[in-house]
């Protein structure tokens, strides 16, 4: 069992570094390819895919590598009956750590490129088709994560989750923020990856709706979680697969 403070630190670092990757690579892309928005998006997406995969691999054993309030809320909601997800107390640690980490990551990226620590984004992203894109992106992310959990295939989460996000950069109209904490963080940088503060509430609402739809789809595919049947964590934690406990006693508690 990982102490909540240690898990919260992992979520803070993971979300912060993820936002630093997204915002920093966006700033770099603008510098390297100032006249080609498509190339900027490609550069931004590639950096995000590699960065996210590494962060899930490195920090997953500590906190489950959520880095996303929607994933944490879904984990808590789905595990209430079976007591295999986050507890309410753990959730209270995760959410502020993720949001605080996202803001810190944006500030760090700004500083690395000699920009003001906080430069409010001016890119407006408020339209029905963009919100629909966020619903689709977030529902798909929740499906990927929790289908892997229910199928006992969380070992491939770094590749599967990063691969999905990389694809969603291109097939969704919103370029797949799919994460309320990251959305808030990106408002702190007026760069390629930024989102105007006034556009944040609409994106977050769409992401929460997408999370609900994603969980409903997972339930439709796998049925409701059964009480007394252990499930894997989003990423396995130390000791969960080492033979220290009988299989029936393993849980996904973080």
């Amino acid at each position: 069992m990982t102490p909540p403070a240690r898990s919260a630190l992992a979520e803070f670092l993971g979300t912060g570094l993820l936002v630093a990757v997204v915002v920093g690579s966006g700033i770099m892309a603008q510098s390297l390819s100032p006249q080609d928005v498509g190339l900027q998006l490609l550069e931004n997406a590639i950096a995000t895919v590699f960065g996210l995969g590494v962060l899930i691999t490195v920090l997953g054993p500590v906190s489950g590598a959520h880095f996303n309030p929607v994933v944490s809320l879904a984990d808590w909601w789905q595990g209430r009956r079976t007591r295999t997800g986050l507890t309410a107390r753990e959730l209270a640690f995760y959410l502020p750590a993720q949001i605080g980490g996202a803001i810190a990551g944006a500030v760090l990226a700004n500083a690395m490129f000699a920009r003001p620590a906080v430069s409010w984004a001016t890119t407006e992203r408020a339209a029905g088709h963009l919100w629909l894109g966020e619903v689709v992106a977030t529902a798909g992310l929740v499906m990927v994560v929790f289908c892997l959990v229910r199928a006992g295939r969380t070992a491939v989460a770094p590749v599967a989750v990063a691969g999905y996000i990389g694809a969603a950069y291109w097939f969704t109209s919103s370029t797949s923020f799919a994460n309320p904490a990251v959305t808030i963080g990106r408002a702190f940088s007026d760069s390629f990856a930024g989102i105007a503060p006034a556009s944040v509430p609409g994106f977050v609402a769409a992401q929460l709706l997408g999370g609900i739809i994603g969980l409903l789809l997972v339930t439709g595919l796998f049925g409701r979680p059964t009480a007394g049947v252990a499930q894997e964590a989003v990423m396995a934690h130390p000791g969960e697969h080492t033979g220290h406990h009988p299989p029936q006693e393993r849980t996904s508690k973080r």
Side-chain angles (χ1 to χ4, degrees):
M1 298 289 290
T2 305
R6 192 179 301 168
S7 295
L9 176 59
E11 290 296 302
F12 178 89
L13 287 173
T15 313
L17 290 172
L18 174 60
V19 172
V21 168
V22 172
V23 172
S25 64
I27 296 173
M28 179 65 81
Q30 282 183 309
S31 175
L32 295 176
S33 312
Q35 305 302 320
D36 192 332
V37 177
L39 188 55
Q40 291 173 15
L41 182 61
L42 177 62
E43 293 160 350
N44 193 209
I46 290 173
T48 301
V49 167
F50 284 117
L52 181 57
V54 169
L55 290 171
I56 293 172
T57 301
V58 172
L59 296 174
V62 182
S63 68
H66 293 186
F67 313 149
N68 188 332
V70 170
V71 173
S72 296
L73 286 165
D75 187 50
W76 166 73
W77 180 264
Q78 185 169 254
R80 290 173 308 126
R81 292 173 62 250
T82 59
R83 298 190 178 184
T84 55
L86 290 178
T87 65
R89 178 171 178 265
E90 289 168 329
L91 185 65
F93 276 83
Y94 273 53
L95 299 187
Q98 292 161 349
I99 294 171
I103 295 170
V107 170
L108 175 61
N110 288 335
M112 285 193 294
F113 288 90
R115 297 192 171 199
V118 174
S119 57
W120 297 111
T122 56
T123 303
E124 297 288 342
R125 302 178 190 263
H129 68 284
L130 299 179
W131 297 330
L132 177 60
E134 279 302 284
V135 171
V136 172
T138 312
L141 175 62
V142 169
M143 274 190 61
V144 169
V145 170
F146 289 95
C147 283
L148 291 176
V149 170
R150 297 294 296 276
R153 301 192 63 194
T154 56
V156 301
V159 173
V161 173
Y164 173 79
I165 291 297
Y169 257 78
W170 291 91
F171 78 77
T172 63
S173 56
S174 62
T175 66
S176 184
F177 285 48
N179 184 328
V182 169
T183 302
I184 293 170
R186 288 168 70 162
F188 284 73
S189 180
D190 189 17
S191 61
F192 177 77
I195 177 173
S199 300
V200 169
F203 262 53
V204 171
Q207 291 157 0
L208 293 173
L209 176 59
I212 293 170
I213 293 172
L215 270 186
L216 290 173
L217 291 172
V218 172
T219 300
L221 292 168
F222 288 90
R224 292 182 180 275
T226 304
V229 177
Q231 297 183 80
E232 293 189 3
V234 175
M235 284 286 290
H237 294 184
E240 285 192 309
H241 300 290
T242 60
H244 293 166
H245 305 288
Q248 66 271 21
E249 294 181 5
R250 296 175 187 154
T251 70
S252 65
K253 296 290 287 182
R254 291 163 175 76

